[in-house]
């Protein structure tokens, strides 16, 4: 299942970026789509998820700053990132849970992954 991210870039601290992920082939009745990030030398971290029933979950580190949304008509999931901090720097990945959504931000709960897009926040 192809997932293709776009929208990464370089911004100064306090700035904003919006990431997009085009999703193909997700015809499951229930699923989760999530955003993850990985900084150099660190393990992947779950950032946010949205389920097919509209449930949203966020990592504590991004609550109040990031917003995940889903445009079903466009088969696209977005991550609006505001008030960016240098520690938000990393490669951001979009992922899909397949036919089972367990409402979990752990990477192991996701079977389909995009190629990633780089986000760099400078101080």
């Amino acid at each position: 299942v192809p997932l293709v991210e776009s929208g990464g870039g370089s911004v100064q601290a306090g700035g904003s970026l919006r990431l997009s992920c085009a999703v193909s082939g997700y015809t499951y009745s229930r699923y989760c789509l999530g955003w993850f990030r990985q900084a150099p030398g660190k393990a992947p971290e779950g950032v946010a998820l949205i389920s097919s029933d509209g449930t949203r979950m966020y990592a504590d580190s991004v609550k109040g700053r990031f917003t995940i949304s889903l445009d079903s008509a466009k088969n696209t999931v977005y991550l609006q990132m505001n008030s960016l901090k240098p520690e938000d720097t990393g490669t951001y990945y979009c992922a899909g849970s397949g036919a089972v959504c367990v409402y979990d931000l752990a990477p192991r709960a996701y079977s389909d992954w995009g190629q990633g897009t780089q986000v760099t926040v400078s101080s």
Side-chain angles (χ1 to χ4, degrees):
V1 178
L3 295 98
V4 181
E5 303 97 335
S6 61
S10 297
V11 296
Q12 290 191 327
S16 298
L17 282 173
R18 188 177 79 156
L19 305 182
S20 301
C21 176
V23 182
S24 301
Y26 254 65
T27 58
Y28 311 111
S29 58
R30 190 173 78 172
Y31 58 85
C32 278
L33 295 170
W35 284 98
F36 298 79
R37 65 188 180 190
Q38 187 169 22
K42 294 188 176 181
E45 173 190 18
V47 174
L49 73 83
I50 188 166
S51 68
S52 50
D53 64 7
T55 300
R56 293 173 171 83
M57 294 178 60
Y58 297 93
D60 288 343
S61 59
V62 306
K63 281 180 181 177
R65 300 188 298 122
F66 290 12
T67 302
I68 190 170
S69 60
L70 174 64
D71 187 332
S72 298
K74 295 183 179 179
N75 295 320
T76 301
V77 59
Y78 302 96
L79 186 68
Q80 177 67 43
M81 305 186 294
N82 298 328
S83 302
L84 282 161
K85 304 176 181 180
E87 51 264 45
D88 294 318
T89 294
T91 302
Y92 281 69
Y93 298 90
C94 174
S97 68
V100 178
C101 172
V102 296
Y103 302 94
D104 193 336
L105 281 170
R108 65 178 179 273
Y110 296 77
S111 55
D112 304 308
W113 291 82
Q115 82 288 351
T117 186
Q118 179 66 33
V119 171
T120 303
V121 185
S122 58
S123 57

